Amino acid sequence: QVQLVESGGGLVQAGDSLRLSCAASGRTFSSYNMGWFRQAPGKERTIVGIISRRGGSTYYADSVKGRFTISRDNAENTVFLQMSSLRPEDTAVYYCAASGSWSDLAGGLSDYWGQGTQVTVSS
């Protein structure tokens, strides 16, 4: 079992950068693929990206490709989401999730979710 806690959200201006962190408890962090998702007001939760267990593979949604980067530090049980060139449409609550299955994460499925952190981008 793993518990996830996101941090780093806030209010920024369009064009700014922000880095989110997701700290995981437990000793098996490296056995999980990690995903970032976001949910804008009145909309469904959507995938932002995924990183594999050792960080060798990543996936990004088209909407963030080239602007967002996911990385992880397995020694620190933490996954990061570096966001740059932020746009007002990036405003959402951002969640991290863990799963042993890449395909489950890609489908938005996970038994483990953080509580979310709010990112607001003003124009």
Side-chain angles (χ1 to χ4, degrees):
Q1 195 167 4
V2 61
Q3 293 181 328
L4 306 172
V5 179
E6 301 96 336
S7 61
L11 172 63
V12 297
Q13 293 186 333
D16 284 352
S17 297
L18 199 62
R19 189 176 83 156
L20 305 183
S21 299
C22 172
S25 64
R27 296 173 291 178
T28 60
F29 177 70
S30 61
S31 67
Y32 292 99
N33 302 290
M34 299 298 297
W36 282 98
F37 296 79
R38 65 186 182 185
Q39 186 168 20
K43 296 187 177 180
E44 293 185 353
R45 185 162 57 193
T46 58
I47 191 169
V48 174
I50 305 171
I51 188 166
S52 60
R53 293 176 180 85
R54 297 184 179 181
S57 298
T58 53
Y59 161 82
Y60 298 97
D62 287 343
S63 58
V64 306
K65 199 174 295 183
R67 299 188 299 122
F68 290 11
T69 302
I70 299 175
S71 61
R72 66 189 295 164
D73 184 339
N74 284 348
E76 296 294 329
N77 283 9
T78 304
V79 62
F80 304 98
L81 179 65
Q82 178 68 48
M83 305 183 292
S84 60
S85 302
L86 282 162
R87 306 167 180 169
E89 54 264 39
D90 294 319
T91 295
V93 177
Y94 284 71
Y95 301 89
C96 65
S99 177
S101 168
W102 177 284
S103 59
D104 278 357
L105 274 180
L109 300 175
S110 175
D111 289 333
Y112 307 113
W113 293 88
Q115 83 290 349
T117 185
Q118 176 71 47
V119 173
T120 303
V121 184
S122 64
S123 56

